[in-house]
Amino acid sequence: MKRYEIDLIVMKEDTIVFVEVKTRTKEEFAKGYESVNHAKQARIRKAATLYLMQSRLPLLEVRFDVISVGYNSMGESPANILHFKNAF
């Protein structure tokens, strides 16, 4: 049986928001949001579909967001936090 993961599930008014959080300690190779490719998006959509079927929530708007957290070169406090609403 496959396992799926969703980092955050948030209610915002009449919208249910599924959030993928990506953190990178060194951003010189790639930003966190760059790793949310089509395959990852498909897995998140599948997980969201299963969640909605099992939760039996009333019909709501659905949105998929990505939060990208990048740390500075010393690995200290986040240097860059980006929130992409309705990312895919």
Side-chain angles (χ1 to χ4, degrees):
M1 180 177 181
K2 282 191 171 189
R3 298 185 71 191
Y4 297 95
E5 170 199 338
I6 296 175
D7 292 328
L8 296 169
I9 302 171
V10 181
M11 292 291 296
K12 175 78 174 165
E13 297 166 5
D14 63 344
T15 302
I16 187 163
V17 184
F18 296 94
V19 183
E20 178 67 11
V21 179
K22 287 296 184 185
T23 303
R24 292 289 179 264
T25 55
K26 294 184 180 180
E27 288 191 309
E28 59 260 14
F29 300 112
K31 306 285 187 205
Y33 63 85
E34 294 173 324
S35 67
V36 185
N37 58 24
H38 292 293
K40 180 67 174 175
Q41 292 173 18
R43 287 191 300 275
I44 295 168
R45 282 189 185 103
K46 179 69 173 180
T49 299
L50 292 170
Y51 174 82
L52 291 170
M53 288 173 30
Q54 292 176 0
S55 68
R56 300 176 189 242
L57 290 170
L59 288 178
L60 299 168
E61 293 290 321
V62 173
R63 188 176 87 202
F64 295 94
D65 290 6
V66 174
I67 295 177
S68 181
V69 180
Y71 285 82
N72 63 26
S73 61
M74 302 301 287
E76 296 168 356
S77 61
N80 193 14
I81 299 174
L82 301 172
H83 182 188
F84 298 92
K85 292 182 181 178
N86 216 11
F88 56 92

